[in-house]
Amino acid sequence: MSRLTDLRFRAATTFQRRVGNPLLRRLPLQTVLETTGRVSGQARQTPVGGRRVGDSFWLVSEFGERSQYVRNIKADPRVRVRIRGRWHTGTAHLMPDDDPVARLRSLPRANSLAVRALGTDLLTIRVDLVE
């Protein structure tokens, strides 16, 4: 990993952890992914951008397997997703063979632009929702 890539990762994650995520997850209509902390066992909520398609919810992680929520999914794929203020349970699947750039074209534009601009290792994630 280049020094510039590492600097982008550290700057973006520090801002998200301390400023962006605490504010966004309080917004009632913000989409939130809830995972179980792989060490703590506590619920961890991360604001995400994505889209529900049928019984699945699709999103793209900007830092791939370096993202804490992706590491939590690898340890326990059972998740919840808050979509339009309503919680849904599901099972998350990492999709390394999916084209994340193409996937971003079908997801909400503002979030997709930010993911493309900041992301260093894009990874598609599909959550199979259970009603």
Side-chain angles (χ1 to χ4, degrees):
M1 176 181 311
S2 76
R3 187 173 177 171
L4 179 59
T5 299
D6 189 54
L7 181 61
R8 281 174 51 188
F9 170 77
R10 290 178 186 276
T13 56
T14 298
F15 176 80
Q16 288 169 343
R17 189 174 299 128
R18 298 195 177 160
V19 179
N21 290 357
L23 291 173
L24 288 174
R25 78 176 145 242
R26 286 184 174 86
L27 299 175
L29 295 180
Q30 171 66 46
T31 302
V32 174
L33 176 70
E34 183 178 87
T35 60
T36 301
R38 63 193 175 284
V39 175
S40 70
Q42 295 180 352
R44 301 294 182 197
Q45 295 183 349
T46 306
V48 296
R51 175 165 283 140
R52 183 176 183 161
V53 179
D55 290 335
S56 296
F57 181 81
W58 293 85
L59 68 141
V60 175
S61 168
E62 61 210 308
F63 299 115
E65 295 192 19
R66 288 185 76 185
S67 295
Q68 296 299 319
Y69 70 90
V70 173
R71 294 171 72 188
N72 289 343
I73 287 169
K74 287 178 75 172
D76 182 357
R78 294 172 299 169
V79 299
R80 292 192 324 148
V81 184
R82 187 178 74 194
I83 305 168
R84 295 186 188 121
R86 184 169 168 238
W87 286 101
H88 305 269
T89 59
T91 303
H93 304 276
L94 306 182
M95 309 292 291
D97 294 330
D98 190 69
D99 181 352
V101 174
R103 181 67 58 190
L104 284 170
R105 288 188 206 111
S106 69
L107 300 179
R109 176 175 251 161
N111 181 75
S112 294
L113 289 172
V115 169
R116 292 275 315 265
L118 296 173
T120 58
D121 186 22
L122 305 180
L123 175 65
T124 301
I125 299 168
R126 183 189 79 228
V127 178
D128 295 332
L129 303 173
V130 179
E131 289 302 320

